[in-house]
Each structure stands twice: as C-alpha cells, then as structure tokens.
Amino acid sequence: MEYILSPSLLACDFSTIGEELKQLEDAGVEWLHLDVMDGQFVDNISFGLPVISSIRRKTNLFFDVHLMITEPIRFVERFAQAGADLISFHVEATSRVQETIDSIHSLGLKAGVVCSPDTDVNEILKYADQVELLLIMSVQPGFGAQTYLDHCTEKIRQARQYLTEHALTAHLEVDGGINASNLKTILEAGADVIVAGNAAFYGGNIVANVEALKAAGMSA
Ligand code: DX5
Ligand code: ZN
C-alpha cells in the first residue's frame, strides 16, 4: 500500500545530525517529522527554532512540524520563518483552534490538527474540511520509543470513513509506536502518512530500517 513515511528526528543521533539527514535522503524519504516540545503541554523538552532553521539550510525534505506546545498560535510565524512546510498542533493545547489554522494558512503553510490518544477523534474531524492533515497520536505525546496503543486503530478507521464519506483529501497521519510489525494494521485502517522514530533510526541503520518499513507497507 502506498504511504508517506515521515521519520521523526527525535530518535536521531543529534551529534551527527548532518549524516543522519543524508542517510534519510539516500533512503528516498521525502518528509521529516519534527517534534517540538515545550515542557509544559508535555513533560519533555526537545528542540526548537534554531535547530529547524539550521537543518532547513541542509535539506529539501518536507518539514512536517508537530507542535506539542501550549497556545501554539504564539509561535506559528516563527516556525514558518524557520522553514516549516506543514505545522500541526494539538486541539488539547488551545481553545483557539480555528484561529490557529487560519494563522498557519495565512503564512502559506499547510495546517494539521492533532488529537492525543484519549481525545475523541471527532475533536479533529470537525476541522477535516479545513486542514491538509489530521494527526492521530497512538502514544501519549512527549516521548519516543513507546508502545502503540491498540485502541487508536479504531480512531484511524473512523477518521478514514469520515474523510471518504465527505470526499475530503486531508492526509491521515499516525504517530507513535509504529514499526514493521504493526504497520500493516495501521495502513489497512486508513492511515496514509506514517511517523516512525525508533523504527527508522535504531542502530543508526537508517537506510536498512526505511527499506524494512517500505517492505512491510507493500504487504498491506
Ligand atoms: C511523541 C512524538 C513521536 C515520536 C515517535 O511525542 O510525537 O513523533 O517521536 O517515535 P516512535 O516512533 O519511536 O514512537
Ligand atoms: Zn510527533
């Protein structure tokens, strides 16, 4: 089954980030998932604007920026300047969802809305006709290398059904705990963009890991 792989840089070796990016490109990857955490919306701090601006100068990968920050609208313009192509944000992190979508679009970027595992999927589906991407988290946001939460598969099915019924073209991205073993189930449920952190970077064998994920997708 055709899908877009968006490897999450959170799982890379940051001491050799240039080399990691080159390996991703050699592996034929087109998207890069960038997890931004503020230590407030989630219990972790990752990286932010200076890192994204630096790597923007090194690669033409599509920057899929996943903001896990409180009141994301405050930072939308700065992430646009840093080189984001798409900005997605959590509906749990703000009461200004519509305004934030509009702000992202006004900067010429694609917009995505995200729901955490315990949030009703309808909370993002109500924006499905206005965004370019819906993101269903399949682990609690904040950390890589967690286990996929099985109850999220039903949310993916619901979201795919909604998009089909309403003839909407938004991407349906799933993020957290995905590997070559469970990928098929997630694709068959209706995802078309897959985030992989640990599964893409483990052992530093990025090209081989990406190959394995592509092969697993083919059987779906
Ligand atoms: C978690 C992040 C994910 C995570 C994915 O908050 O949003 O993107 O890095 O990593 P894996 O694939 O290792 O679960
Ligand atoms: Zn993410």
Side-chain angles (χ1 to χ4, degrees), residues 44 52 62 64 72 79 111 126 131-132 136 145 166 191 213:
N44 200 3
I52 294 178
F62 181 86
D64 165 28
F79 279 101
K126 57 189 176 197
V131 293
E132 288 71 36
I136 294 178
H166 294 82
L213 287 164

Side-chain angles (χ1 to χ4, degrees), residues 8 10 33-37 66 68 135 137 173 175-176 195:
S8 166
L10 190 63
H33 187 80
L34 297 159
D35 287 306
V36 176
M37 305 177 184
H66 174 193
M68 285 163 274
L135 170 48
M137 288 297 301
E173 182 175 48
D175 180 8
V195 177

Side-chain angles (χ1 to χ4, degrees), residues 31 62-65 84-88 109-112 132-133:
W31 283 36
F62 181 86
F63 280 7
D64 165 28
V65 175
D85 292 297
L86 179 151
I87 295 178
S88 60
L109 304 190
K110 295 187 165 59
E132 288 71 36
L133 179 135

